[in-house]
Amino acid sequence: MTDVIIIGAGVVGAAIARELSRKDRSVLVLEKNSDVCEGTSKANSGIVHGGYDAMPGTKKAFFNVKGSLMMEELSKTLDFPYKRNGSLVLLPDGADEETLDALFQRGLKNGVKGLEIIDRDRLHELEPNVNDSVRKALYVPTGALVCPFLLTIALAENAAVNGVEFRFDTEVTDIRKEDGAFRVFAGGEEYSSRYVINAAGVYADVIHNMVCPQKIAIRPVRGQYCLFDRTVGSVIKHTLFSLPTAMGKGVLVTPTVHGNLMAGPTAEAVDDREATNTTAVGLETVLQKGSLSVNSLPGRKVITSFAGLRAREKGGDFIIGEDRNVPGFIDVSGIESPGLSAAPAIGVHVAGLVNELDQRPDRKDFAETRKGTPSMANADEKTRQRLIKENPAFANVICRCELVTEGEIIDAIKRPLGARTLDGVKRRVRAGMGRCQAGFCSPKVAQILSRELGISEEEITKSGKGSEILKGIAKHDI
Amino acid sequence: MTYDVDIAVIGGGPAGLAAADSAKKAGVKNILILERDFRLGGILNQCIHNGFGLHTFKEELTGPEYADRYIKKIREDGVDYMLDTMVTDLKLNDDGSKTVTAMNRTEGIIKVNAKAVILSMGCRERARGSMNTPGFRGAGIYSAGTAQLFVNINGKMPGRQVVIVGSGDIGLIMARRMTLEGAKVKMVVEIMPHSGGLKRNIVQCLQDFGIPLRLSHTVTDIRGGKRVEGVVVSRVDDDLRPVEGSEEYVECDTVLYSVGLIPENEITLKMGAKLDERTNAPLVGDDLQIDSSGVFACGNVLHVHDIVDHVTEEAVNAGENAASFVLYGKVSKGAKGLVESAEKNVYVPGVDEDKMTCVRCPNGCLLSVEKGTDGTLKVTGNLCPRGEAYAVSEFTAPMRTLTTTVRVKNGTTKALPVKTSADIPKEKLLECIRALTDVEVAAPKRTGDIIVKNIADTGSDIIATGSVDNV
Ligand SMILES: Cc1cc2nc3c(=O)[nH]c(=O)nc-3n(C[C@H](O)[C@H](O)[C@H](O)COP(=O)(O)OP(=O)(O)OC[C@H]3O[C@@H](n4cnc5c(N)ncnc54)[C@H](O)[C@@H]3O)c2cc1C
Ligand SMILES: Cc1cc2nc3c(=O)[nH]c(=O)nc-3n(C[C@H](O)[C@H](O)[C@H](O)COP(=O)(O)OP(=O)(O)OC[C@H]3O[C@@H](n4cnc5c(N)ncnc54)[C@H](O)[C@@H]3O)c2cc1C
């Protein structure tokens, strides 16, 4: 019998796992995909929101403000990329000025620091490439950027080091509560636990409804993005949100923490929870609306596009807490935006709930910090020289666009909860994230994976079973 | 480690090799080529098909054979080269010298101080992402060059049911390669109303195998979450916009993108060079020099060349100009520079449909064949007798060179490029491939080695077109 089962290894499940591992207890994370960060946590804006947006008094507002205050410190403790660049909420032509004021007031109520309404001159000084038609803006100096992959991976890795067990390719299909304990059926096996935490993202209602008589309902809202080449990453410095106009809700344009430029997301309700596909209309909308914020958005510099699904629950707010009817079942569902920003605070809060129900001594050897894979691209020459001296594989460049070496890729595979897929490597060390989108490096990364994991190249996948990158050997099917 | 050289050449593909060779022959002593791959030859190593060298050597070579000729030259010249060495930086110093920073396993960070630098880093492919094709992002979406590497260097199949986007030469060549290795190429779609590829490749890569070419069509959706399951192909209008209602679903497990190349310009940007907004290549003077800096560019890093012979010609110019810069401090006025491709004999439907393009020499004559009442064939349009022979053979019993690979044991690559020593009847192609299915050779092998004698009773041998060393 495990003490706690967490369903879902997204940023929320990972944050909770890490906080739970501070105490002496057994924690098991069940994840249907082959890696952490395969759900919504991999496809979002990567913005640590200031917290002005959510309605005062909601869980969204509470956890957003709290989480965003924790993020910078956490990025140092767990070594993931974070950058405070500040956000600007733009008031374009045709948008309602009162909405901007309302946001400002809301932000003040939520306790967001440093908010300011700035005029056109100041705005253009801060952001010379902002679209000429913008008249005014709300300045949010606490807005920041984070790498959503490495945030999630860092939390999970640290949890794993502190004793949390992760089972991948293990989809939960049923849950029963019997004799005060849970029977969790997943991946063809049965697990039992005293507590279950539901962090299943867009499937959190499905999980909830397996055991809870009072049903909840999530209808995903898709958001599509275009990502641009790094050569245009410095077109703007701040994250630019845009207020709604007659054309509808705006999209944001932002640099990413790795220096690319990104525009999106759209907002479309979809029925299929796997509909992370992009559409022609969606991508066109992104580029069109993005250019309302930035002068001459460089459409030709798009290097990829993607989409993520917001787990919108019909109540409109996060659902966080023990279910009224099923003691020991803790929901963390409806975690749509600003879930990434809120995750660190949600982790602490949920672990607190469990600790109240189930008091345990501290884990004596808890490892608070984590060190990430060294990055050759970001290292100065002396560091590069040292890394190569320690391990010559750090001189062997595998991904030329992002300058990622064999040494980094091996580290990504060998570390706790290491990468086992091309996407796993890509999210950990950025091989394949650049302008050629893995054209050059994927055959090489596949060979390294095959060698390090001791499996054949034919077994290497992009993102788990069913996504094998090869279809056999040449000539064998004539 | 620090090295002082006269000329540092970044990239050891055909451009770098020819530039180094010509600079050496112009009298420069100390030349160093820096190449990030484990061997010289650049992209030619994976272009195992034939069709290279018609201009330069007046014969049809495969990519590796063409590269081999220049590798031999620079070995004879005594030009130094470093392999497995990635250049990461290029700085112009105040005294006019340049410092190239590179790294490799054995020496760590390397500094090369050079009087002149030749940029010959080639180009990379545009990917699906840059087309912004909507849909899912599962496995099975590759650029044609990636697929080419999988098949030709690693001996692996990236897919079985293939749709190819883009009908430039690379897309066409890959249609044939995939087919010959056992895949079903469902179609090649091309957004333009004509193909960007050579007519010869339309014939020998598509028509030979009955692969449909869908002009004025493009892929507008990719389906399949984990692995590609199919694509939606749509017709486009005159503005290249998809026409609603023209959608067709095509089942496939693989989409190959062959939609253009962009110069490799990380290093070029490091030295602060300006790029052409349109082509993304560095702006150079008539002498191929960037801003009188003593840094020269040639080959695909400068503009995309359809045929390697033009790369070589341009690189020879760059080498000579760099040599002048080193030896005399300047490049004389009127020095030779850019080599633009001559107009290309592309396939336009309905135009010259009944004519064939002679491939015996670069003239590429358009030939017509008429059958007389007495059964004799009359060939017109040819400039020389070779054209007549070609047309008659193409009309009566078409012959083809087979280029493919065989598996290698204990080699530095898993596949060795090979070809038939003489042309074989077209209908024998697949039979020869079948006969090669279980052939595995032990490394090392050298260009020209006989791998199989008298393959499938054609009277032609299978010979190695590249080399593979022992691991
Ligand atoms: C378009 C968009 C933009 C966003 N931008 C931002 C932003 O800028 N800032 C911000 O703070 N937030 C943002 N968010 C919100 C944020 O991304 C999410 O709130 C957060 O990633 C949710 O994390 P999660 O762990 O709850 O969900 P997920 O990451 O989806 O994780 C859930 C996991 O549960 C697994 N799972 C599901 N069902 C089962 C099962 N039956 N058995 C086992 N495992 C299962 C899934 O495979 C998945 O890995 C954005 C969201 C979207 C869609
Ligand atoms: C698929 C394909 C099919 C083709 N078919 C034909 C054909 O049938 N007939 C024909 O005549 N031509 C053909 N071509 C064109 C011809 O092969 C190319 O034009 C030619 O190879 C370009 O030569 P290059 O030296 O400029 O570039 P490349 O061959 O790409 O060489 C560049 C070299 O630079 C190295 N390099 C790059 N960056 C660095 C760095 N930072 N540090 C160190 N080294 C670096 C690379 O590893 C590479 O070896 C084809 C090309 C392709 C891609």
Side-chain angles (χ1 to χ4, degrees):
Chain A
M1 167 102 57
T2 309
D3 292 326
V4 186
I5 284 181
I6 300 172
I7 303 170
V11 69
V12 170
I16 295 169
R18 173 172 189 261
E19 288 304 323
L20 284 176
S21 71
R22 289 177 186 275
K23 303 276 178 190
D24 231 336
R25 60 162 67 94
S26 56
V27 180
L28 173 65
V29 180
L30 301 177
E31 167 57 54
K32 74 180 164 82
N33 279 303
S34 63
D35 197 354
V36 300
C37 203
E38 279 281 353
T40 297
S41 302
K42 78 169 176 191
N44 52 62
S45 311
I47 288 156
V48 184
H49 292 290
Y52 57 83
D53 195 29
M55 284 301 175
T58 59
K59 289 201 167 68
K60 280 183 180 172
F62 177 79
F63 286 107
N64 180 355
V65 174
K66 238 178 138 185
S68 98
L69 288 175
M70 295 167 68
M71 200 65 88
E72 184 164 13
E73 187 60 33
L74 192 64
S75 74
K76 289 176 191 146
T77 313
L78 296 182
D79 196 14
F80 60 84
Y82 167 94
K83 187 176 171 200
R84 182 170 300 178
N85 67 326
S87 307
L88 289 160
V89 186
L90 308 180
L91 180 75
D93 244 354
D96 180 11
E97 199 152 339
E98 275 166 33
T99 322
L100 196 70
D101 257 357
L103 272 187
F104 177 63
Q105 295 302 335
R106 218 188 281 167
L108 293 181
K109 278 212 184 92
N110 289 345
V112 185
K113 303 237 156 61
L115 292 179
E116 223 182 306
I117 300 245
I118 59 174
D119 63 11
R120 192 190 192 117
D121 290 349
R122 175 86 193 287
L123 173 62
H124 284 262
E125 207 174 285
L126 281 175
E127 212 45 276
N129 282 325
V130 80
N131 190 298
D132 298 329
S133 72
V134 180
R135 291 171 288 148
K136 242 181 175 186
L138 172 64
Y139 181 40
V140 190
T142 53
L145 306 171
V146 70
C147 171
F149 319 127
L150 287 175
L151 163 61
T152 307
I153 287 163
L155 288 164
E157 248 181 61
N158 187 246
V161 166
N162 287 311
V164 173
E165 192 188 337
F166 286 78
R167 289 269 167 99
F168 296 108
D169 301 308
T170 307
E171 177 171 357
V172 174
T173 47
D174 199 10
I175 308 171
R176 279 179 228 157
K177 174 128 199 215
E178 281 167 21
D179 308 327
F182 291 94
R183 296 174 66 192
V184 178
F185 299 86
E189 288 188 46
E190 186 181 331
Y191 303 84
S192 59
S193 68
R194 297 168 53 225
Y195 300 93
V196 165
I197 295 172
N198 173 16
V202 284
Y203 288 94
D205 58 339
V206 177
I207 297 291
H208 172 99
N209 297 345
M210 285 174 186
V211 270
C212 301
Q214 200 157 12
K215 307 298 179 199
I216 62 172
I218 287 173
R219 180 150 190 236
V221 178
R222 178 167 61 198
Q224 304 186 36
Y225 292 91
C226 292
L227 187 80
F228 300 76
D229 196 288
R230 216 135 29 112
T231 48
V232 294
S234 49
V235 166
I236 51 170
K237 288 199 278 307
H238 301 80
T239 299
L240 306 181
F241 296 90
S242 184
L243 284 181
T245 63
M247 273 183 63
K249 203 170 171 290
V251 302
L252 64 88
V253 186
T254 184
T256 70
V257 75
H258 295 288
N260 295 82
L261 183 72
M262 191 163 82
T266 56
E268 324 139 48
V270 291
D271 291 319
D272 180 358
R273 294 165 206 252
E274 298 294 324
T276 53
N277 57 314
T278 56
T279 64
V281 174
L283 297 178
E284 211 170 296
T285 308
V286 167
L287 292 177
Q288 198 180 23
K289 289 191 171 173
S291 55
L292 296 179
S293 300
V294 179
N295 281 331
S296 60
L297 194 66
R300 286 183 60 227
K301 296 278 184 178
V302 171
I303 61 170
T304 190
S305 52
F306 62 91
L309 301 176
R310 305 171 183 86
R312 175 153 312 158
E313 207 282 322
K314 65 177 186 305
D317 199 5
F318 294 166
I319 302 175
I320 299 176
E322 190 177 19
D323 188 78
R324 255 190 302 156
N325 305 302
V326 188
F329 184 88
I330 297 170
D331 261 315
V332 194
S333 51
I335 311 298
E336 54 174 325
S337 195
L340 204 62
S341 322
I346 294 176
V348 171
H349 177 78
V350 172
L353 293 181
V354 175
N355 290 341
E356 259 170 47
L357 298 169
D358 179 46
Q359 290 180 11
R360 295 298 178 101
D362 287 343
R363 174 182 291 275
K364 272 191 226 71
D365 55 354
F366 181 76
E368 180 84 34
T369 60
R370 162 209 181 253
K371 199 83 201 104
T373 303
S375 156
M376 282 296 269
N378 298 330
D380 60 19
E381 213 158 285
K382 255 180 61 203
T383 314
R384 286 184 181 180
Q385 189 72 284
R386 177 177 58 77
L387 287 167
I388 297 171
K389 208 161 172 191
E390 283 166 15
N391 179 1
F394 276 90
N396 184 17
V397 176
I398 302 295
C399 166
R400 59 187 176 182
C401 300
E402 299 287 311
L403 200 88
V404 184
T405 64
E406 186 181 0
E408 291 157 84
I409 293 170
I410 294 174
D411 184 79
I413 298 169
K414 293 271 150 130
R415 57 177 37 244
L417 289 188
R420 293 177 303 146
T421 62
L422 288 185
D423 280 357
V425 168
K426 170 166 131 181
R427 284 199 283 274
R428 283 170 179 79
V429 291
R430 294 186 62 73
M433 286 273 187
R435 63 184 62 111
C436 91
Q437 287 288 300
F440 180 75
C441 68
S442 53
K444 295 175 184 231
V445 175
Q447 280 177 341
I448 297 171
L449 276 165
S450 151
R451 186 187 71 209
E452 296 298 323
L453 299 174
I455 58 178
S456 75
E457 263 177 79
E458 282 76 15
E459 291 169 88
I460 301 298
T461 64
K462 181 169 185 288
S463 60
K465 246 194 169 21
S467 69
E468 284 71 19
I469 56 167
L470 291 173
K471 294 264 175 187
I473 296 173
K475 294 191 187 63
H476 271 219
D477 235 20
I478 304 246
Chain B
M1 233 7 191
T2 303
Y3 296 87
D4 290 301
V5 301
D6 294 325
I7 301 180
V9 179
I10 308 179
L17 293 171
D21 178 55
S22 82
K24 186 81 186 187
K25 292 195 165 123
V28 178
K29 290 208 181 59
N30 198 350
I31 303 173
L32 176 62
I33 302 176
L34 299 151
E35 168 56 50
R36 67 171 168 220
D37 207 352
F38 72 97
R39 56 182 170 185
L40 297 168
I43 197 78
L44 291 180
N45 285 311
Q46 66 179 64
C47 298
I48 65 160
H49 55 282
N50 64 339
F52 297 82
L54 273 172
H55 295 250
T56 315
F57 298 108
K58 309 280 178 266
E59 61 180 307
E60 274 209 67
L61 301 173
T62 65
E65 289 172 315
Y66 188 94
D68 199 49
R69 303 236 169 153
Y70 284 90
I71 295 170
K72 286 210 176 95
K73 277 181 204 262
I74 67 123
R75 287 210 178 113
E76 282 161 19
D77 292 340
V79 167
D80 287 325
Y81 56 88
M82 279 183 171
L83 301 176
D84 291 313
T85 302
M86 173 87 178
V87 172
T88 54
D89 205 357
L90 168 60
K91 284 261 152 357
L92 305 180
N93 305 322
D94 292 340
D95 65 357
S97 68
K98 292 102 208 154
T99 303
V100 177
T101 308
M103 58 187 189
N104 68 25
R105 285 170 160 272
T106 43
E107 297 179 51
I109 308 283
I110 301 160
K111 296 278 177 190
V112 180
N113 298 317
K115 293 180 188 143
V117 171
I118 295 175
L119 303 176
S120 50
M121 291 90 72
C123 56
R124 67 184 65 180
E125 295 175 279
R126 291 184 66 195
R128 176 257 182 119
S130 69
M131 306 294 291
N132 232 350
T133 310
F136 284 93
R137 296 164 301 284
I141 306 165
Y142 301 106
S143 66
T146 306
Q148 190 179 43
L149 187 142
F150 270 129
V151 179
N152 292 352
I153 307 285
N154 297 350
K156 308 281 186 189
M157 291 301 278
R160 293 282 167 196
Q161 306 259 318
V162 187
V163 168
I164 296 179
V165 184
S167 71
D169 290 316
I170 303 173
L172 299 177
I173 295 282
M174 280 318 291
R176 177 174 62 188
R177 284 298 296 137
M178 294 300 288
T179 307
L180 283 177
E181 298 300 330
K184 168 94 188 132
V185 177
K186 293 272 183 100
M187 61 176 68
V188 174
V189 302
E190 167 60 59
I191 196 166
M192 303 301 287
H194 52 81
S195 160
L198 291 169
K199 194 168 168 202
R200 157 208 171 124
N201 283 336
I202 299 281
V203 173
Q204 297 196 357
C205 299
L206 300 187
Q207 291 173 0
D208 274 5
F209 305 98
I211 300 168
L213 170 63
R214 304 289 289 274
L215 297 170
S216 297
H217 279 74
T218 190
V219 167
T220 48
D221 195 14
I222 301 179
R223 308 247 170 102
K226 283 283 180 187
R227 170 99 203 181
V228 175
E229 288 165 11
V231 296
V232 174
V233 170
S234 305
R235 191 157 47 79
V236 299
D237 61 20
D238 293 345
D239 300 324
L240 309 182
R241 306 272 307 174
V243 176
E244 228 170 293
S246 70
E247 299 85 0
E248 178 193 350
Y249 182 69
V250 182
E251 223 175 274
C252 61
D253 60 25
T254 306
V255 193
L256 298 188
Y257 275 86
S258 172
V259 289
L261 305 165
I262 350 166
E264 180 107 355
N265 49 33
E266 271 78 5
I267 306 301
T268 320
L269 286 170
K270 288 266 162 84
M271 68 169 266
K274 285 195 196 66
L275 299 186
D276 181 323
E277 287 266 328
R278 200 178 49 81
T279 61
N280 257 311
L283 293 167
V284 294
D286 290 342
D287 57 356
L288 303 171
Q289 193 173 183
I290 299 174
D291 211 12
S292 313
S293 59
V295 179
F296 299 79
C298 58
N300 279 357
V301 82
L302 192 51
H303 63 115
V304 176
H305 297 69
D306 281 322
I307 52 176
V308 71
D309 307 68
H310 296 146
V311 170
T312 302
E313 204 183 321
E314 183 172 284
V316 167
N317 297 345
E320 281 167 1
N321 298 350
S324 305
F325 184 88
V326 169
L327 299 172
Y328 316 113
K330 63 173 189 342
V331 186
S332 56
K333 272 223 156 50
K336 285 189 279 182
L338 224 59
V339 178
E340 304 272 12
S341 296
E343 211 177 300
K344 204 169 152 182
N345 197 347
V346 298
Y347 173 70
V348 185
V351 176
D352 298 329
E353 200 85 62
D354 52 339
K355 295 193 177 136
M356 61 180 90
T357 310
C358 180
V359 299
R360 286 292 174 248
C361 82
N363 282 336
C365 298
L366 270 185
L367 310 177
S368 304
V369 184
E370 257 176 79
K371 199 168 186 168
T373 41
D374 57 348
T376 55
L377 296 178
K378 188 168 174 331
V379 179
T380 49
N382 54 314
L383 287 174
C384 77
R386 285 194 293 170
E388 183 171 352
Y390 174 75
V392 170
S393 131
E394 195 66 2
F395 199 81
T396 51
M399 303 289 281
R400 297 284 181 264
T401 308
L402 170 66
T403 56
T404 180
T405 62
V406 294
R407 265 178 297 138
V408 181
K409 243 203 312 262
N410 297 328
T412 43
T413 58
K414 291 191 180 120
L416 173 71
V418 297
K419 71 174 181 185
T420 47
S421 56
D423 284 358
I424 58 168
K426 183 173 99 180
E427 64 277 5
K428 284 268 193 178
L429 283 171
L430 284 181
E431 201 181 324
C432 290
I433 288 277
R434 257 181 234 115
L436 287 172
T437 305
D438 293 316
V439 174
E440 188 175 43
V441 297
K445 284 281 172 286
R446 293 281 158 259
T447 307
D449 286 357
I450 296 181
I451 306 298
V452 180
K453 277 193 122 30
N454 187 20
I455 183 87
D457 267 334
T458 54
S460 173
D461 299 335
I462 294 289
I463 57 170
T465 55
S467 300
V468 59
D469 289 322
N470 237 321
V471 273

